[in-house]
Amino acid sequence: MKLTEMKEQSFPNYKWDEWKKVAEESLKGKPLEALQRTTYENIVLKPLYISADHKTNSQYPGEEDFRRGINPLGYLTNNWKIAQCLSETNLQELKEKLTSAIESGQSAISFGVSKEMIEANGFLKELVGEYYRQYPFAMDAGGYQADVIKALENIAQSQEDQAKITGYVAADPLAEITVTGSLPDNFSDFLKEFSKSLHKAHENFPNLRTLLVNTTTYHNGGANAIQELGIAAAAGVFYLDSLVALEAEQTMNKLIFKFSIGSNYFMEIAKLRAARIIWNKVAEAYGVNENSRAMHIAAETSMFTKTVFDPYVNLLRGGNEAFAAVIGGVQYLHVALFDQLTGSNSFSDRIARNIQLILQEEAHLTKVVDPSGGSWYIEQLTNELAQKGWQFFQEIEAIGGILEALKTNWLQTKIADVYEKRKLDIFTRKQSIVGTNVYANLADNVPENIKKAQNPAQSQKEDLTIAITAIPQLRLSHPYEGLRKRADELKQKSGKVPCVGLICIGSLKEHKARLDFVRGFLSAGGVTIQASEPIHSVEEALEFVSKSETSHFCICGTNDLYQILGIEILQAIKAKLAEQSIYLAGLPAQDDQVNWTENGLKQFIHVKSNCFESLSSILSEMEVSANEQIQA
């Protein structure tokens, strides 16, 4: 084909019905609906989105509902800030770390505040020097906010210097309550004082945001995207109504919203876009000027999705989540360190920062205004999230607002329900966690200490509090990590690695698929395998079992071999070695299942098994056996 002919070629236009027909043919008779997937938000994801799914939306970024971003030229003129939150207890070490970070590309002043730091005279001036004139702050100061603001007053005493302090040094008392589970009975008085302090900070630092709506505490409890959106709007409205020292317009200009970005890439992009739509609608209801309706967002990659084992996979998770955050249009971004749970170092600090630099310099995300704009899938997902998020916000308001929803445990229950669904999916491995419940590496060492989620900073405890149900700060992989720890403790106690013997019936070709499946299934709990040579008779199986040091075995083979030899092997083992626990890889027909269980089979291990419960049961039996041997 000549070049001129090639240029004249075009793809034919196909209609939806034609595509559907071909798709269903490839599904071998299954309906197209078989490709649909329902998310934790109860949103049905279709296999294909077409122009008919597109609705008229904002035409340009920085206009109308702000779904396409708050700046007309996106990151071309207002790049997001690399706001890696640094942490060191030693002030000098933190100063060196901040200097190094800024020299290496960090573009915001961000660090954790501690009691020791606050007690050091002139800590902020010593720490940030002249950086505040060039870089914005990005700090969740928690209960230490007043101390940090006071320190800012000491280093920026002229109006000119005060105007140069930008970014946010903010606090969210509601988020603190959800984690601690303690609501001061004088909370209304606290809010009045809090409101006054924000008003004073507004007068001194007109370009600094000081009020935070932090949804990460709800995200880490297992909340879905719709719940995060509704909670963000409800918390924002709570502060608009409660902070009497500030007018609505002032409160809007002091707000910064913080979101955790999870692993569902397109859902997280749409979540951030929908958040701006919802907040614009709230601001409009309060009669706020259009310029003040734009939602400013600080984001961090999720700790809920991170794992202790195979930590380098966290680099991939963090990169994916950071990419989604930027496409979604954030103003500040923190990427969690890949080994933060077990102890990080300068290497992981650098890698986390470089993820953002790669997105800026190599992925060129600063060169395109709203890269997701016009995607029928993302636009439709954005619309659904905005609608359902608004409905959830209305449900909270119907109860009496977010504080009442927390006091009555309504909100905690809603979030817990979603977490239970997530947990069941990882238990049954419907949802994969690479390196944890699938493709687990048993060579990974079990860390002695795992860092726990820290509560928001508190400067002091209230003596009189009302107890509410705290929202636990969780990680999805934690239950399986508990199994791995149990397996390691069992190894230390007994001197043997927890092991299950695999009775491999037939040739390698006949039993390998199920052997590999069972190996992966067991490794999620730190249990290794001892595979037999190909077994072709009952005698060979009995010899393998009798010589093995484990008391747990799994028969692996094809369904046909199970009928020919499998049942005989089970009967023979139970007749001579009745104390052994025998499992079967696969799930036979219902009638055959009865036959297996009547002959003493412990359990079937198959793709729909509850992996966590099965492993927990195996480890419990091994622990009992180990204790009996030690006592004997």
Side-chain angles (χ1 to χ4, degrees):
M1 181 183 293
K2 295 180 180 180
L3 181 61
T4 54
E5 294 175 340
M6 187 180 295
K7 289 181 178 180
E8 293 174 357
Q9 293 292 313
S10 62
F11 291 103
N13 292 322
Y14 290 105
K15 296 181 180 179
W16 164 258
D17 290 339
E18 293 175 301
W19 182 88
K20 180 180 178 183
K21 180 181 178 181
V22 174
E24 289 184 336
E25 287 175 358
S26 69
L27 292 173
K28 298 179 180 180
K30 291 182 180 180
L32 190 61
E33 287 71 26
L35 296 177
Q36 293 180 348
R37 184 168 62 88
T38 302
T39 70
Y40 294 110
E41 293 77 15
N42 287 323
I43 292 175
V44 177
L45 301 182
K46 300 190 296 184
L48 181 68
Y49 287 81
I50 60 177
S51 56
D53 295 303
H54 180 66
K55 297 179 182 178
T56 302
N57 298 317
S58 302
Q59 294 299 309
Y60 302 103
E63 294 185 4
E64 297 184 49
D65 56 17
F66 298 106
R67 76 173 62 212
R68 301 194 62 188
I70 64 174
N71 298 306
L73 292 178
Y75 296 133
L76 284 171
T77 54
N78 293 275
N79 202 356
W80 83 87
K81 305 303 179 185
I82 299 175
Q84 291 298 123
C85 185
L86 308 175
S87 60
E88 288 291 346
T89 53
N90 182 285
L91 191 61
Q92 183 59 34
E93 290 179 358
L94 182 59
K95 179 181 178 180
E96 293 173 0
K97 207 171 188 179
L98 179 61
T99 300
S100 175
I102 288 177
E103 290 175 351
S104 302
Q106 174 122 340
S107 52
I109 302 169
S110 184
F111 55 87
V113 187
S114 65
K115 182 179 180 182
E116 293 78 11
M117 191 181 299
I118 293 296
E119 291 175 347
N121 292 327
F123 81 96
L124 196 58
K125 186 172 184 179
E126 171 66 21
L127 183 59
V128 303
E130 298 295 313
Y131 285 142
Y132 74 91
R133 299 175 184 271
Q134 301 171 309
Y135 302 99
F137 283 87
M139 293 176 57
D140 176 0
Y144 297 118
Q145 183 191 33
D147 299 292
V148 178
I149 294 294
K150 184 177 180 180
L152 281 174
E153 293 173 355
N154 292 333
I155 65 173
Q157 297 180 349
S158 69
Q159 289 185 350
E160 183 180 351
D161 277 352
Q162 290 172 344
K164 290 180 179 178
I165 292 181
T166 60
Y168 69 93
V169 176
D172 182 356
L174 274 177
E176 184 176 328
I177 289 168
T178 63
V179 177
T180 62
S182 298
L183 173 67
D185 62 358
N186 61 346
F187 192 53
S188 58
D189 293 334
F190 165 82
L191 287 174
K192 290 178 182 178
E193 294 303 315
F194 182 57
S195 178
K196 291 178 182 177
S197 66
L198 295 188
H199 184 268
K200 180 181 178 183
H202 168 67
E203 292 180 334
N204 290 333
F205 307 105
N207 299 318
L208 182 71
R209 293 177 180 268
T210 51
L211 180 59
L212 182 67
V213 170
N214 185 4
T215 67
T216 62
T217 57
Y218 311 95
H219 172 94
N220 290 336
N224 62 32
I226 288 171
Q227 290 172 335
E228 290 181 61
L229 291 170
I231 290 167
V237 166
F238 173 81
Y239 288 128
L240 283 168
D241 293 340
S242 303
L243 303 181
V244 294
L246 295 171
E247 297 179 357
E249 189 92 24
Q250 293 175 325
T251 304
M252 288 283 183
N253 289 319
K254 296 291 112 178
L255 268 168
I256 183 87
F257 289 80
K258 187 176 182 181
F259 289 95
S260 277
I261 308 301
S263 58
N264 191 336
Y265 180 74
F266 291 106
M267 184 67 72
E268 295 301 319
I269 294 172
K271 179 178 78 177
L272 296 175
R273 301 171 99 242
R276 290 192 292 269
I277 296 173
I278 292 173
W279 189 243
N280 176 69
K281 191 172 182 179
V282 170
E284 188 177 7
Y286 277 82
V288 173
N289 184 283
E290 185 175 353
N291 293 332
S292 301
R293 296 177 194 169
M295 173 187 269
H296 288 248
I297 298 175
E300 63 179 31
T301 56
S302 173
M303 288 305 298
F304 184 75
T305 63
K306 301 304 179 291
T307 62
V308 168
F309 294 105
D310 213 347
Y312 289 103
V313 181
N314 290 332
L315 286 172
L316 304 177
R317 297 185 180 105
N320 175 73
E321 292 162 0
F323 205 118
V326 174
I327 298 294
V330 301
Q331 280 65 59
Y332 303 87
L333 179 60
H334 165 78
V335 176
L337 311 187
F338 76 90
D339 56 356
Q340 185 170 333
L341 295 168
T342 53
S344 55
N345 52 39
S346 58
F347 172 74
S348 45
D349 273 336
R350 181 186 175 207
I351 292 295
R353 184 172 57 251
N354 282 354
I355 286 175
Q356 298 199 54
L357 291 172
I358 288 171
L359 293 178
Q360 288 185 354
E361 303 297 335
E362 296 187 22
H364 302 298
L365 294 187
T366 60
K367 306 300 183 184
V368 180
V369 180
D370 187 23
S372 65
S375 163
W376 295 328
Y377 174 35
I378 294 177
E379 293 291 5
Q380 175 65 14
L381 200 53
T382 298
N383 290 336
E384 288 195 67
L385 282 177
Q387 182 180 9
K388 292 178 180 289
W390 182 261
Q391 290 172 353
F392 192 75
F393 161 62
Q394 289 179 315
E395 289 181 45
I396 296 174
E397 291 303 296
I399 294 171
I402 189 168
L403 185 58
E404 194 63 28
L406 289 168
K407 289 164 69 174
T408 58
N409 202 35
W410 180 88
L411 188 55
Q412 293 92 323
T413 301
K414 290 287 186 181
I415 293 173
D417 289 343
V418 177
Y419 174 69
E420 289 302 315
K421 293 178 183 177
R422 295 184 190 272
K423 191 167 68 171
L424 179 61
D425 283 349
I426 66 144
F427 281 8
T428 57
R429 304 205 301 176
K430 182 179 178 181
Q431 182 73 31
S432 297
I433 306 177
V434 175
T436 299
N437 70 346
V438 295
Y439 307 114
N441 180 10
L442 294 184
D444 278 344
N445 294 322
V446 178
E448 294 183 5
N449 297 311
I450 300 175
K451 292 184 179 180
K452 296 181 179 179
Q454 295 181 347
N455 292 345
Q458 288 179 282
S459 57
Q460 60 183 15
K461 295 273 187 181
E462 296 288 344
D463 294 331
L464 300 174
T465 60
I466 301 169
I468 66 169
T469 303
I471 296 176
Q473 301 301 283
L474 306 166
R475 288 183 301 105
L476 203 52
S477 62
H478 184 261
Y480 278 97
E481 291 163 1
L483 292 179
R484 294 285 293 273
K485 187 174 183 180
R486 286 174 61 186
D488 186 65
E489 290 172 348
L490 185 59
K491 175 185 174 182
Q492 302 299 326
K493 182 183 293 185
S494 66
K496 301 175 184 177
V497 177
C499 179
V500 170
L502 301 190
I503 303 170
C504 302
I505 304 176
S507 65
L508 177 63
K509 181 179 179 181
E510 290 173 308
H511 65 246
K512 187 176 186 306
R514 281 177 167 158
L515 182 153
D516 289 341
F517 169 75
V518 174
R519 178 192 283 116
F521 187 96
L522 295 172
S523 64
V527 180
T528 189
I529 65 163
Q530 178 190 356
S532 72
E533 295 296 321
I535 286 176
H536 301 284
S537 67
V538 172
E539 291 73 23
E540 289 176 350
L542 283 173
E543 183 181 5
F544 170 71
V545 172
S546 62
K547 290 182 178 180
S548 299
E549 296 184 356
T550 181
S551 60
H552 291 74
F553 297 87
C554 183
I555 301 172
C556 299
T558 63
N559 290 341
D560 290 340
L561 286 172
Y562 287 165
Q563 293 291 333
I564 298 169
L565 190 59
I567 288 288
E568 287 187 46
I569 289 174
L570 174 63
Q571 291 171 337
I573 294 173
K574 282 298 180 180
K576 292 189 176 182
L577 302 165
E579 73 280 2
Q580 310 290 28
S581 296
I582 311 298
Y583 301 82
L584 183 74
L587 186 65
Q590 188 64 43
D591 292 342
D592 292 332
Q593 291 178 38
V594 174
N595 190 19
W596 282 97
T597 53
E598 287 180 348
N599 279 282
L601 188 78
K602 182 82 172 182
Q603 189 179 340
F604 301 99
I605 295 178
H606 53 91
V607 292
K608 294 184 179 180
S609 293
N610 189 313
C611 181
F612 178 84
E613 290 184 355
S614 297
L615 291 169
S616 183
S617 175
I618 290 171
L619 287 172
S620 293
E621 291 179 10
M622 290 180 173
E623 287 164 348
V624 170
S625 177
N627 289 333
E628 289 175 350
Q629 291 177 11
I630 291 172
Q631 291 173 1

